[in-house]
């Protein structure tokens, strides 16, 4: 996986470089500090994935993404300090949206998704067993996301991010409304801002009501709220017996 990083802040570029070098199978092919340089680097280096800042001099990251020809476009993951750009980011078909300071587990998840999309790896065999789905609006219409494809969900202000094995989808909904829609779909609310698929949990941090987080199969760490701790332990115990 060939990766290009783009950010106008030297410290942000350095942090991404350090994190990327810890991920096996990833080659950092270059970096750019503004939109014009990013377009030139993408054209010259032909990366598989671009980690793209949004607020930059001259051309911002959203404009850069919109100017890339679809046929030769790499996977795009936006990296920004601001949640307000989430809707605009997914309008240009971003693979993922990472908030600064970038967490290592989220960066690795984004890169793994890009690998799967590039390798055209099929969804897990059970991905379409559940016929229920969420229709997510996109730039060109709507896409059907099967509930059984979703690994975890996190809140993003007026939206939620639906994370699957190959990409994230931005969906306008509240967590409370979503909780009703997800009943019986194998997704467990672990925090006021997060749901996880119980069968994807491989580790629990802490004990009893003092648990602080769950770790998913792809090493994503999701916090557990104190009011959800008992429900999490009870559900995971039932899952383990099945």
């Amino acid at each position: 996986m060939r990766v290009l990083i783009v950010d106008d802040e030297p410290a942000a570029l350095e942090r991404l470089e350090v994190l990327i070098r810890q991920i096996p199978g990833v080659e950092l092919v270059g970096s750019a500090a503004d939109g014009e340089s990013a377009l030139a680097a993408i054209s010259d280096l032909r990366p598989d994935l671009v980690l793209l800042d949004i607020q930059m001099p001259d051309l911002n990251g959203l404009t850069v993404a919109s100017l890339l020809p679809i046929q030769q476009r790499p996977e795009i993951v936006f990296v920004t300090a601001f949640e307000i750009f989430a809707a605009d980011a997914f309008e240009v078909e971003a693979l993922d949206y990472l908030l600064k300071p970038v967490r290592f587990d989220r960066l690795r998840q984004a890169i793994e998704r890009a690998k799967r999309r590039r390798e055209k790896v099929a969804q897990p065999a059970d991905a379409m067993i559940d016929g229920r789905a969420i229709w997510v609006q996109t730039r060109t219409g709507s896409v059907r996301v099967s509930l059984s494809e979703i690994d975890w969900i996190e809140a993003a202000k007026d939206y939620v991010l639906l994370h699957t094995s190959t990409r994230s989808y931005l969906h306008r909904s509240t967590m409370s409304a979503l909780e009703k829609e997800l009943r019986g779909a194998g997704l467990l609310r672990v925090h006021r801002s997060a749901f996880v698929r119980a069968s994807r949990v491989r580790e629990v941090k802490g004990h009893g009501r003092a648990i602080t987080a769950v770790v998913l199969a792809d090493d994503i760490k999701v916090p557990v709220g104190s009011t959800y701790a008992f429900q999490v332990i009870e559900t995971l115990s039932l899952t383990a017996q099945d």
Side-chain angles (χ1 to χ4, degrees):
M1 175 62 61
R2 293 164 46 79
V3 178
L4 173 74
I5 55 178
V6 181
D7 202 300
D8 65 326
E9 299 177 5
L13 284 176
E14 183 178 353
R15 176 176 172 79
L16 285 174
E17 287 179 11
V18 169
L19 295 178
I20 286 170
R21 295 189 193 283
Q22 299 176 53
I23 303 175
V26 177
E27 178 188 0
L28 182 60
V29 296
S31 63
D34 58 70
E36 293 286 357
S37 299
L39 287 172
I42 292 168
S43 176
D44 292 342
L45 300 172
R46 298 299 175 94
D48 301 309
L49 169 66
V50 179
L51 300 175
L52 184 58
D53 188 22
I54 291 182
Q55 286 196 313
M56 295 186 296
D58 301 321
L59 299 179
N60 65 33
L62 295 167
T63 302
V64 169
S66 68
L67 290 174
L68 294 172
I70 296 298
Q71 297 83 357
Q72 302 171 354
R73 177 176 155 163
E75 302 294 344
I76 301 293
V77 171
F78 285 108
V79 181
T80 178
F82 305 98
E83 290 186 359
I84 59 172
F85 296 116
D88 293 328
F90 284 95
E91 276 294 306
V92 291
E93 303 295 331
L95 171 76
D96 209 339
Y97 187 87
L98 305 182
L99 289 174
K100 298 177 181 178
V102 176
R103 287 168 34 197
F104 179 69
D105 61 334
R106 284 288 284 115
L107 176 62
R108 180 165 54 186
Q109 182 192 42
I111 290 175
E112 286 302 316
R113 285 172 172 165
K115 285 182 181 178
R116 292 184 193 119
R117 282 165 65 91
R118 286 277 152 173
E119 295 166 0
K120 296 185 174 147
V121 174
Q123 292 287 333
D126 64 347
M128 294 301 293
I129 288 176
D130 190 336
R132 298 158 59 195
I134 295 174
W135 284 96
V136 177
Q137 290 188 346
T138 67
R139 178 176 54 177
T140 56
S142 298
V143 61
R144 183 179 184 272
V145 181
S146 172
L147 297 188
S148 54
E149 291 182 61
I150 300 170
D151 291 336
W152 69 290
I153 299 170
E154 63 178 321
K157 289 195 177 294
D158 297 331
Y159 297 85
V160 294
L161 281 168
L162 311 176
H163 298 293
T164 74
S165 65
T166 55
R167 65 163 293 175
S168 296
Y169 297 90
L170 190 72
H171 178 54
R172 192 172 186 90
S173 178
T174 65
M175 295 297 276
S176 297
L178 202 59
E179 188 167 25
K180 298 174 183 176
E181 194 171 355
L182 297 176
R183 282 175 186 162
L187 286 155
L188 169 67
R189 192 163 188 180
V190 298
H191 192 276
R192 61 185 177 84
S193 300
F195 293 87
V196 302
R197 183 164 298 284
S199 62
R200 297 281 288 167
V201 175
R202 67 167 177 79
E203 184 181 352
V204 175
K205 298 290 186 181
H207 301 280
R209 288 184 178 272
I211 62 174
T212 57
V214 292
V215 181
L216 305 187
D218 54 1
D219 293 325
I220 289 294
K221 187 177 179 181
V222 183
V224 174
S226 58
T227 57
Y228 298 93
F230 180 77
Q231 180 183 349
V232 170
I233 290 299
E234 186 178 53
T235 301
L236 294 180
S237 296
L238 290 172
T239 300
Q241 294 171 10
D242 290 341

